[in-house]
């Protein structure tokens, strides 16, 4: 998929702006296939699968991982206003602790 902006390298999430063209070791967050750094004159800099890849959803998976990383690091989130049983009225929520991928009563939420 073109226009992927994140990849994994050595199990670390890397943004395309920190990637180096010609360097190897970048892989898709979803399928784990090798990605190529594209940085030409016609298109914006992005990660790309090889031509024969059937991977779908790499961008969504990488953004999902990035969101968990940001929430884990900052321990706060500013939610937009939604009027669903007055659960969220557009406030900033701060947390003492953020736990990623921990099982709880047979359920494994992304973040607790």
């Amino acid at each position: 998929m073109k226009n992927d902006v994140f990849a994994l390298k050595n199990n670390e999430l890397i943004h395309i702006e920190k990637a180096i063209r010609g360097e190897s070791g970048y892989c898709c967050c979803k399928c784990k296939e090798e990605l190529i750094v594209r940085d030409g004159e016609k298109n914006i800099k992005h990660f790309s699968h090889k031509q024969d890849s059937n991977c779908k959803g790499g961008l969504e998976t990488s953004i999902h991982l990035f969101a968990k990383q940001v929430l884990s690091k900052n321990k706060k989130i500013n939610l937009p206003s939604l009027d669903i049983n007055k659960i969220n009225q557009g406030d900033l929520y701060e947390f003492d602790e953020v736990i990623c991928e921990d099982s709880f009563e047979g359920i494994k939420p992304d973040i607790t």
Side-chain angles (χ1 to χ4, degrees), residues 1-10 12-29 33-40 43-51 53 55 58-59 62-63:
M1 173 180 210
K2 283 189 174 183
N3 299 327
D4 281 4
V5 294
F6 293 102
L8 290 173
K9 184 168 185 169
N10 300 323
E12 185 178 330
L13 198 58
I14 305 293
H15 188 273
I16 188 62
E17 290 305 318
K18 293 187 178 182
I20 300 169
R21 184 178 178 183
E23 192 173 78
S24 63
Y26 301 105
C27 65
C28 176
C29 296
E33 290 178 5
E34 183 179 358
L35 295 177
I36 301 163
V37 177
R38 303 282 187 196
D39 191 14
N43 297 317
I44 63 170
K45 188 175 181 182
H46 64 278
F47 290 109
S48 177
H49 283 84
K50 294 182 178 181
Q51 287 182 340
S53 175
C55 181
L59 178 61
S62 66
I63 291 171

Side-chain angles (χ1 to χ4, degrees), residues 12-100:
E12 185 178 330
L13 198 58
I14 305 293
H15 188 273
I16 188 62
E17 290 305 318
K18 293 187 178 182
I20 300 169
R21 184 178 178 183
E23 192 173 78
S24 63
Y26 301 105
C27 65
C28 176
C29 296
K30 178 146 182 126
C31 71
K32 307 300 188 242
E33 290 178 5
E34 183 179 358
L35 295 177
I36 301 163
V37 177
R38 303 282 187 196
D39 191 14
E41 294 179 18
K42 293 182 181 180
N43 297 317
I44 63 170
K45 188 175 181 182
H46 64 278
F47 290 109
S48 177
H49 283 84
K50 294 182 178 181
Q51 287 182 340
D52 59 346
S53 175
N54 291 321
C55 181
K56 303 265 188 281
L59 178 61
E60 181 179 351
T61 299
S62 66
I63 291 171
H64 182 98
L65 290 173
F66 178 67
K68 291 194 304 186
Q69 179 179 299
V70 168
L71 189 54
S72 294
K73 180 182 176 183
N74 297 314
K75 295 182 178 61
K76 60 184 171 184
I77 187 169
N78 192 2
L79 298 174
S81 181
L82 296 172
D83 190 17
I84 303 173
N85 297 326
K86 305 290 182 193
I87 293 173
N88 172 17
Q89 298 176 359
D91 293 326
L92 176 66
Y93 294 86
E94 296 188 51
F95 308 98
D96 294 327
E97 182 179 20
V98 174
I99 302 168
C100 292

